[in-house]
Amino acid sequence: MKKQLLLIITMSLTLIVAACGTSSSDGESKVDGDETVTFQATILEIQDGYYLVEPVEGSAELNSADQITIPVADGNPSPEPEVGDVLEIEYDGSIAESDPAQIANVYGIRVVEE
């Protein structure tokens, strides 16, 4: 009886450790070992140094904030974004909870809909 109990406990622990070590891919990519997140947002304003955007309907980012500031990258995307355009923004997944919210670490911005 003790051997069976020990075997069950050992197998349970093995399964738990194996389950903790697995990972799933949900559309996120890796940049230098860090996970990145991509979302789409509509440009509300273009200011010197940043875009003020609104995440599109259904976006997980919309649960965090309805307006987010995105720093303009050194090399602006082509074509030049305008108010009303939809951008695809790749970032580190971190959103600063301010008003409006802010994303500091942006890896890429591209126009997906003019």
Side-chain angles (χ1 to χ4, degrees):
M1 179 72 174
K2 287 185 180 183
K3 287 184 179 182
Q4 289 177 339
L5 183 60
L6 182 61
L7 179 62
I8 291 172
I9 291 172
T10 303
M11 291 181 69
S12 298
L13 289 174
T14 302
L15 289 173
I16 290 170
V17 170
C20 291
T22 61
S23 64
S24 63
S25 177
D26 58 357
E28 296 179 352
S29 59
K30 299 276 187 177
V31 174
D32 296 330
D34 295 328
E35 290 187 20
T36 64
V37 178
T38 303
F39 76 103
Q40 292 185 356
T42 304
I43 299 175
L44 301 175
E45 293 179 23
I46 299 175
Q47 299 293 326
D48 189 31
Y50 71 90
Y51 301 123
L52 179 65
V53 300
E54 177 183 27
V56 297
E57 195 66 37
S59 170
E61 286 74 13
L62 191 56
N63 294 331
S64 294
D66 60 344
Q67 293 184 350
I68 303 173
T69 58
I70 308 293
V72 175
D74 293 334
N76 285 334
S78 186
E80 189 69 29
E82 297 177 2
V83 172
D85 288 353
V86 176
L87 300 177
E88 185 172 82
I89 302 158
E90 182 180 10
Y91 71 108
D92 66 355
S94 178
I95 300 175
E97 295 188 24
S98 56
D99 189 23
Q102 301 174 32
I103 293 178
N105 299 317
V106 176
Y107 302 123
I109 299 173
R110 70 182 185 98
V111 176
V112 292
E113 185 178 315
E114 293 183 31

